[in-house]
Amino acid sequence: MKDKLSLLKNEARQEILNSSTLQEVEDLRVKFLGKKGQLTEISKGMKNLSAEERPVVGQLLNEVRTEITDMLESKKIEITKELKAKQLEEEVIDITLAGKKTNQGSLHPITETTDLLKKISMDMGFDIADGPEIEYVKYNFDMLNIPESHPSRDITDTFYISDDVVLRTQTSAVQIRYMQEHKPPFRMVCPGKVYRPDYDVSHTPMFHQIEGLMVGENISFANLKAILTEFIEKIFGQGTRVRFRPHFFPFTEPSAEMDVECVICKGKGCRVCKGSGWLEIMGCGMVDPAVLEAVGYKADEVSGFAFGMGIERITMLRHGIDDLRAFFENDMRFLKQFK
Ligand code: DAH
């Protein structure tokens, strides 16, 4: 039996040395150490041994088993290492290759400008307000001191849902809602969608405005000029020149239109400003006492100013876009430019 064991060990060593795949190693394990393997076969002879010999041979048997197991194990490690090395050599990864592009979305330019306007407003102490797009005639027109006969109330200028409900035509409606809920002093802005039945090169049935309102004791036209000038400088850059022209709005008295030096030609005169060097940027004025009284304020105790501007227009001027419709066509080539 001792000879058989030593022969088996040598045979196993040789075959393990010659093996070259993990499968071969596994086959050898079965062949030598498996349940029906050669070692098991030899150990069956134990029962024929004498009582003295048995423990000696038993120990030898265990040693051989351990040795073969160790040889198989180290062969396995060796093959695995070689496989890994070969794989590393073959599968070269060129880390200088350009990666796969993933598509990243971006904010719509109107959203981006609205966010900027909100940020500037908040920095200047304005509260951000909100109001419904489906609005009562009362808020959109009546309480803003807009007379019954005013042309903006015509069905050619306003989408009516019923006699007293419309799609709001101006964010000015939120002024009334805000004043009814707040006591002066306050300053607020309200950006949002507005609707008018227009559709041509420079008009779309839905567009965006931002409305502003500041009310308190002794608020003057000088405050209006100072704050709106700073507002515009924050949008278009320090030192951007502005001017105020007298105008009329039913809800402000006196009213003005504010112009900004043409951002394209810097005031020299070009196609965009039609040679004037100025661009109309917003309507503004001192809140009409009739509006203050309509919300229950005392017009001899508080005063305020209001302003409203088109967000599409601001966006077009900021980015040099000359076609309003580009905002609504969702052409990816256009939108991708605003990352
Ligand atoms: N609501 C006006 C419009 O849609 C814009 C406007 C003008 C708003 C003067 C104001 C304002 O608050 O004071 O044309």
Side-chain angles (χ1 to χ4, degrees), residues 45-281:
M46 287 279 276
K47 57 180 183 293
N48 304 325
L49 296 178
S50 66
E52 299 94 70
E53 269 183 317
R54 206 171 283 159
V56 183
V57 175
Q59 196 183 352
L60 190 63
L61 227 133
N62 278 338
E63 279 170 18
V64 171
R65 175 177 290 279
T66 313
E67 274 179 72
I68 297 180
T69 308
D70 288 351
M71 286 191 288
L72 287 167
E73 206 44 48
S74 35
K75 188 68 186 179
K76 237 184 183 167
I77 292 172
E78 187 189 316
I79 294 174
T80 312
K81 264 192 193 157
E82 275 170 16
L83 280 177
K84 193 82 206 164
K86 209 167 138 212
Q87 189 187 25
L88 281 175
E89 205 169 292
E90 282 170 1
E91 295 178 11
V92 188
I93 297 169
D94 182 353
I95 55 164
T96 64
L97 268 179
K100 264 192 199 155
K101 277 228 171 79
T102 50
N103 269 332
Q104 201 187 2
S106 56
L107 291 179
H108 190 281
I110 296 296
T111 308
E112 190 252 340
T113 297
T114 306
D115 286 352
L116 173 74
L117 296 173
K118 278 158 82 172
K119 163 97 175 49
I120 292 173
S121 304
M122 286 189 282
D123 286 350
M124 293 174 71
F126 283 76
D127 187 15
I128 311 286
D130 199 8
E133 289 170 28
I134 297 172
E135 185 57 286
Y136 290 111
V137 165
K138 183 172 80 168
Y139 293 132
N140 196 79
F141 294 121
D142 299 347
M143 294 176 81
L144 283 164
N145 199 35
I146 296 173
E148 288 286 339
S149 59
H150 199 276
S152 67
R153 292 190 184 233
D154 289 352
I155 51 164
T156 50
D157 287 274
T158 300
F159 289 112
Y160 280 85
I161 286 173
S162 67
D163 281 350
D164 53 2
V165 178
V166 297
L167 291 186
R168 72 178 176 199
T169 61
Q170 47 186 359
T171 43
S172 303
V174 185
Q175 284 189 20
I176 304 298
R177 289 181 172 274
Y178 194 91
M179 285 193 279
Q180 283 186 336
E181 281 166 22
H182 296 81
K183 278 205 167 80
F186 62 76
R187 26 183 132 175
M188 73 86 168
V189 294
C190 167
K193 292 182 165 71
V194 297
Y195 302 84
R196 292 178 198 177
D198 284 324
Y199 191 50
D200 60 40
V201 196
S202 51
H203 296 88
T204 47
M206 183 282 290
F207 59 102
H208 299 78
Q209 288 187 330
I210 184 165
E211 187 78 17
L213 178 67
M214 178 168 178
V215 180
E217 275 176 42
N218 298 319
I219 303 291
S220 69
F221 205 94
N223 298 136
L224 174 155
K225 283 182 76 174
I227 287 190
L228 293 187
T229 303
E230 187 180 334
F231 203 87
I232 289 301
E233 280 192 323
K234 286 194 160 148
I235 302 173
F236 294 109
Q238 200 70 38
T240 304
R241 291 191 305 150
V242 296
R243 72 177 184 186
F244 293 84
R245 283 177 293 104
H247 202 75
F248 175 80
F249 294 105
F251 30 88
T252 44
E253 180 61 30
S255 306
E257 264 188 340
M258 186 189 194
D259 293 344
V260 57
E261 167 190 77
C262 179
V263 293
I264 310 290
C265 65
K266 297 278 174 258
K268 286 191 203 73
C270 68
R271 200 173 55 91
V272 175
C273 60
K274 301 195 181 78
S276 72
W278 294 98
L279 296 164
E280 194 186 304
I281 201 84

